Amino acid sequence: SSGDSGASSADNPAVVALWATAGDVPQRVAEKLAYEGSPDELASRVVVTPNVELGTVELTATANNADEAVVLVNAFADEVLLFIEERDAQRRAEEAQEVEERSTELSARLQTVGQEIVAAGGEGSAGASAMIAERDRLTSELTALAEVENTATEWVPMLRASAATEQETSAVAFARGQWMLLAALVSVLLAFGVAIM
C-alpha cells in the first residue's frame, strides 16, 4: 500500500501494477530466481490487482506447488518495491539538481542586480526602482526554492505471502461438455429418425 497521494506516477496503483508485470521487474525477478525461461512467461503467472480508492496493489501468483507460488509472489512484491524506491531516488536526485542549478543562477543574477543598483545611485535613486523590484522578486524565488519539499513515495507491504491455497482442477466443466455433445448427437439422431418416419 502507498502512504502518499501525490501527483507522481509512483503514487498511482494502476501504474505500479503495470510496472509489476512489464519492463524491468519481471527481468529482475527472473534473475533473482535464476529462472531460465522468458521473464514475460514468468510475469504471466502473476495477476496484479490495483485498488485506486485504497491505494493498494494486490499480487496473486500461480505455480505448480504452494512453496513455489509463495516464493514467486514475494519475489515480485519485493522487486516492485525496490523498483519504486530506485525510481523515486532518481527523481529526487534530478529535482535536487534542478533546484541547485536554479539557485546558482538566481544567486548570480541577484549579485549582478545588486551591483546595478549601486551603480545607479543606490536604494534611494529614482532609476533603481525597477532593479529593486527585480531584486525583491529574485530574493522571493530563491527563498521559495529553499523551502521546496523533496518528498518520497513510500509503498509498504501490508501482507507477505507465507502460504498458498492449492486449487484442484475441476472435471465438472469437462463432464458438462461431454454431456452437451452427447445431447446434441442424440437430438440430431432423433430429428433424423422423425424425418425418416
Side-chain angles (χ1 to χ4, degrees):
S1 67
S2 172
D4 296 325
S5 56
S8 168
S9 57
D11 297 326
N12 188 337
V15 174
V16 173
L18 180 63
W19 289 339
T21 54
D24 290 344
V25 172
Q27 182 67 43
R28 292 182 181 192
V29 173
E31 290 171 6
K32 182 178 182 178
L33 300 180
Y35 183 73
E36 295 179 359
S38 166
D40 292 336
E41 192 277 327
L42 199 60
S44 70
R45 293 162 57 184
V46 177
V47 176
V48 186
T49 310
N51 188 321
V52 177
E53 289 78 19
L54 296 178
T56 60
V57 175
E58 181 181 293
L59 287 85
T60 307
T62 303
N64 293 329
N65 59 64
D67 292 338
E68 188 181 336
V70 169
V71 168
L72 182 61
V73 79
N74 284 333
F76 267 92
D78 292 342
E79 291 303 320
V80 168
L81 291 173
L82 186 60
F83 180 76
I84 292 171
E85 287 173 13
E86 289 173 1
R87 278 184 61 95
D88 215 43
Q90 182 180 356
R91 177 186 61 81
R92 282 182 282 132
E94 289 171 358
E95 287 176 358
Q97 184 178 354
E98 288 175 10
V99 167
E100 186 179 348
E101 289 172 359
R102 183 62 180 154
S103 297
T104 303
E105 182 185 329
L106 289 172
S107 298
R109 180 62 187 147
L110 203 53
Q111 187 176 3
T112 303
V113 169
Q115 292 169 353
E116 290 173 357
I117 291 171
V118 171
E123 299 275 344
S125 93
S129 60
M131 288 177 274
I132 291 170
E134 185 180 0
R135 182 192 63 188
D136 293 343
R137 182 187 62 78
L138 291 170
T139 304
S140 298
E141 189 177 345
L142 198 57
T143 304
L145 278 177
E147 294 172 357
V148 169
E149 288 186 26
N150 204 344
T151 57
T153 300
E154 183 180 4
W155 283 77
V156 293
M158 294 174 65
L159 179 67
R160 278 184 66 81
S162 57
T165 304
E166 187 173 341
Q167 299 290 330
E168 292 286 339
T169 303
S170 174
V172 174
F174 182 70
R176 186 178 298 145
Q178 283 182 329
W179 278 111
M180 292 195 61
L181 182 64
L182 183 61
L185 185 61
V186 169
S187 298
V188 169
L189 289 174
L190 284 175
F192 186 67
V194 169
I196 289 177
M197 287 175 63

